[in-house]
Amino acid sequence: MKILLVRPAPEKETIGLQHVMLVEPLELEVLATVVEDNHDPVVVDMILEKAPLEYFLEKYQPDLFCVTGYITNVKTMIEYCARAKKFAPQIVTVAGGVHVEVVPEDLHHIAVDYRVVRNATTVFTGLISYLEGQGEKPKAALAYGENPGRANWPSFDFTFPRVNRTYTGKYRDEYFYIFHNKVALVKTAFGCPYNCNFCFCRSITDDNFAQRPLEDIISEIKDLEEKEIYIVDDDFLVSPSRLGKFLDALEKENIEKNFLIYGRSDFIVEQVELIKRFRRLGLKTIIVGLESFNKEELDRYNKNNSPATNEKAIKLMNSLGIDCFATVIIPPHWKAEDFDQLGDKLIELDIKYVNLQPLTPIPGTGFEVEPEKLLIHRSDYASWDLAHVAIRPEHLSVSEFYRQIIKLYERILFRPAVLLSHLKYPPSMLWKMLKGSYLVHRQYLKKMKEAGNA
């Protein structure tokens, strides 16, 4: 069976973080890997391709068309499936990805033959066997018109293959994450052991948390051509014992890579010696969900952390030369002085990279607000990007709220000390980041203007 696996291009309305971070479609590489022994898979990254989808449909003549994405890609995923059907009605269309797993009804459309809602590595192969007349349809592959509740879905199976990266060979030089150039993704665990109420990481796995065998992970990392490794676990800093064994293996195998990971500030301050050792073995950057420097806000997010711990972690990272990519939630009750105070704190702590996320009730998190408070309709999928202002501000106009976000970004990211620190990177990377920042900045200005004219 000829299988075309496609990553969709972002919609124009989505505020384009892909301008400053674009990584490989690991989920499609995984699917290609699990079917490659008996089928003919091809991966196409439409973020990077210039030709229309029909060019690839014509070129590869697929029997099965598969597309995966996030909530911002819902409309495009359905559109791609419809275009595949128009090209050849006999093509079987399949949609997957984390949003499908949490809110499969959003992809319930006549153009989408099947939605894979769980255990993609095993369900995908089972679905193909079913389509070839062998065996029953997997319960976790929902056909059009079929919407059984989650209680009827199968138990979780966290089988994960050794990924064949050659399927994205033509694109690999283009993948980067801010200043980590030519980056490869590695997934070592599934789910998250924490319960922050604004995040749907736990929803994807129904509160299950599973980790891959360390020997498998080390073997994978050792064989990767890329030096820059982005471990995409929801939180890599979970177990001190496991991290210690991971570092032992890096030393034993003499692996020299640069690592970008997610981690909580409380782990960082509680495991100083492990973090120091990890730094010596290649840790370059930690994406830290600070969320807030206000205790009441942290409690409201069920973060189970404190502002003092956040500050202590940042100071430790600075002392060790570890970059902190900080994420901070901007709640709708903020006033102008709250933005100013956050800016003062970020500068005081010498934060050079920050992602400001307006508080967003993403479907599937369990975090809901009254419909009249929403600025974005639930069906306006492209705007659910954690960058649009989703909840009506309580004290500022929408336009002013955007203006405060823009002003804070400018204040943090474009101060002279930060710009000078970037000179250590190659000119090509500096240009890419400058161009990407400009494009994102322009999108924010557009939203501010639109809100002002509303």
Side-chain angles (χ1 to χ4, degrees), residues 73 195 395:
N73 302 121
N195 197 25
H395 302 290

Side-chain angles (χ1 to χ4, degrees), residues 1-4 40 54-64 87-88 90-91:
M1 181 177 287
K2 296 180 180 178
I3 304 171
L4 183 58
D40 184 17
E54 286 72 16
Y55 169 84
F56 300 100
L57 292 167
E58 178 66 38
K59 180 176 181 179
Y60 297 112
Q61 298 289 319
D63 304 299
L64 187 146
F87 175 82
Q90 73 274 14
I91 291 177

Side-chain angles (χ1 to χ4, degrees), residues 25-96:
L26 183 61
E27 68 282 3
L28 295 183
E29 293 169 317
V30 167
L31 294 180
T33 300
V34 298
V35 301
E36 64 184 358
D37 287 345
N38 300 307
H39 303 282
D40 184 17
V42 175
V43 174
V44 172
D45 192 338
M46 292 300 290
I47 296 178
L48 292 169
E49 292 288 357
K50 304 300 182 184
L53 179 65
E54 286 72 16
Y55 169 84
F56 300 100
L57 292 167
E58 178 66 38
K59 180 176 181 179
Y60 297 112
Q61 298 289 319
D63 304 299
L64 187 146
F65 176 87
C66 178
V67 60
T68 65
Y70 302 95
I71 184 172
T72 54
N73 302 121
V74 167
K75 182 180 176 181
T76 304
M77 292 166 69
I78 292 172
E79 177 197 329
Y80 279 14
C81 289
R83 288 163 67 179
K85 288 287 190 183
K86 182 178 180 180
F87 175 82
Q90 73 274 14
I91 291 177
V92 177
T93 57
V94 181

